[in-house]
Amino acid sequence: MSDLNSIAAAEVPEPVQVQPRPGRKQDKPRSLAGDAWIDLRKSKIFWVAVVLVAIVVLMAVWPTLFTSADPRACSLSNQHKGATGEAYFGYDFQGCDVFARTIYGARNSIIVGVVSTVIAGLIGIIVGLSSGFFGGWVDALLSRFIDVMLAIPFLLGGIVLSTRLSADPNDNGVLAVILTLGLLTWTSGARVMRSAVISAKNQDYVAAGRMLGAGPGRLMLRHILPNSIASFIVVLTILLGINIGVEATLSFLGVGLKGDAISWGIAISEATPYARVAAAPLVWPATFLGLTVLAFIMLGDAIRDAFDPKLR
């Protein structure tokens, strides 16, 4: 018997030790975010969106990099003058530099868009995570609340709420528009988060964590939320562009930013009656607004395709 064992052992080949090539790193297992980043680096739409977003953010943070003119320095003697070496886009009906006001208009748009999206994201995470995780009467109650919010006409609700929040005539309306958009735009994110949480909480790693004694808070924050956040981030990225467009719409209607605030929506509203006389004060703010909204929507679409290729 020992002879048979020795013969069998001799016939089994020794495992071959594969040595890594010199100067080459061993492949490590990649996460979902790592795979998504590989796809994003190959996407032309992603890089175009990143460049546009970077330019707009730079305009908002550092407008003097693009122009040294004062956007509030206006002279009626320059009314509707064409483009010059000092004013690349000409002057509006008040004699203000259209290029300077367009550059400085990015600041309020980015501030309103980012802060309102953060508020909407926080509400969406809390509502969606609680609804999807606890289920039962909690899910039923929060789901009906989301339905009620969705039943409110968005533009009408925005006009009413923004008007009530900015009743002070000395207020420039920035805070009012931020709160209005934050309180009205969280529903889509909450629904996406709820669906992702319902799918994630039935996974084996959640059951293992529950068996090891993890409480609801730890399960939600350490296990479910990190694995449900990808689709939620995509929604927020697209929502950021939408909020910038809605802010311009409210400002155009006269219920958004006002007073001394500089906004693309205000510039479009003021230039509309004089569009036949001078088109530049209307065309350029509208162009920058459209490109900004398009950039964030393209960025969200690229991230969505990278995280979920089945949606392509």
Side-chain angles (χ1 to χ4, degrees):
M1 192 71 178
S2 60
D3 294 338
L4 294 177
N5 291 335
S6 61
I7 294 173
E11 291 178 353
V12 176
E14 293 292 333
V16 179
Q17 298 293 333
V18 179
Q19 298 295 331
R21 295 180 182 178
R24 180 180 180 181
K25 295 181 179 179
Q26 294 184 354
D27 294 335
K28 296 180 180 180
R30 294 192 302 264
S31 63
L32 177 61
D35 290 335
W37 172 240
I38 292 176
D39 291 338
L40 285 175
R41 288 187 299 180
K42 301 176 183 178
S43 174
K44 295 180 180 179
I45 295 179
F46 171 74
W47 288 113
V48 171
V50 167
V51 170
L52 291 176
V53 169
I55 293 174
V56 174
V57 171
L58 194 60
M59 287 166 51
V61 175
W62 196 2
T64 55
L65 183 65
F66 298 87
T67 178
S68 58
D70 184 359
R72 293 183 172 86
C74 305
S75 175
L76 289 177
S77 61
N78 295 324
Q79 185 181 40
H80 290 156
K81 284 187 177 180
T84 64
E86 297 179 353
Y88 302 124
F89 296 163
Y91 297 88
D92 61 10
F93 77 105
Q94 291 182 331
C96 303
D97 188 339
V98 175
F99 179 74
R101 293 185 69 84
T102 301
I103 295 297
Y104 277 84
R107 174 171 294 177
N108 282 326
S109 295
I110 293 298
I111 291 175
V112 171
V114 171
V115 179
S116 62
T117 302
V118 170
I119 295 174
L122 292 176
I123 299 175
I125 285 180
I126 294 172
V127 175
L129 189 59
S130 302
S131 178
F133 181 80
F134 292 108
W137 67 269
V138 176
D139 183 25
L141 180 63
L142 293 177
S143 296
R144 297 296 78 77
F145 181 59
I146 293 175
D147 292 339
V148 170
M149 293 298 299
L150 289 173
I152 300 175
F154 179 70
L155 187 57
L156 177 60
I159 293 174
V160 173
L161 188 57
S162 179
T163 302
R164 294 297 300 171
L165 292 175
S166 61
D168 186 358
N170 298 322
D171 184 17
N172 61 8
V174 174
L175 181 60
V177 175
I178 288 174
L179 293 177
T180 298
L181 297 181
L183 294 175
L184 293 179
T185 58
W186 57 269
T187 50
S188 298
R191 279 191 161 187
V192 171
M193 176 58 69
R194 174 182 176 272
S195 301
V197 169
I198 291 175
S199 177
K201 75 174 184 179
N202 296 320
Q203 300 300 320
D204 293 338
Y205 58 84
V206 177
R210 186 177 288 110
M211 292 176 62
L212 292 174
R218 183 178 180 84
L219 287 175
M220 286 191 293
L221 298 179
R222 296 294 299 273
H223 299 284
I224 295 179
L225 183 59
N227 292 282
S228 307
I229 201 68
S231 55
F232 185 73
I233 292 176
V234 173
V235 172
L236 290 188
T237 306
I238 298 176
L239 180 62
L240 176 54
I242 294 175
N243 282 346
I244 292 175
V246 174
E247 175 273 316
T249 302
L250 294 177
S251 299
F252 177 83
L253 295 174
V255 295
L257 273 60
K258 56 186 180 180
D260 61 346
I262 300 177
S263 167
W264 289 331
I266 294 176
I268 295 172
S269 176
E270 292 177 344
T272 299
Y274 308 96
R276 294 185 177 181
V277 179
L282 172 65
V283 171
W284 287 112
T287 300
F288 275 72
L289 173 63
L291 289 176
T292 302
V293 175
L294 179 62
F296 281 105
I297 293 177
M298 289 170 56
L299 184 61
D301 286 340
I303 296 175
R304 180 197 61 190
D305 292 342
F307 276 99
D308 194 353
K310 292 183 293 184
L311 295 178
R312 295 176 185 174

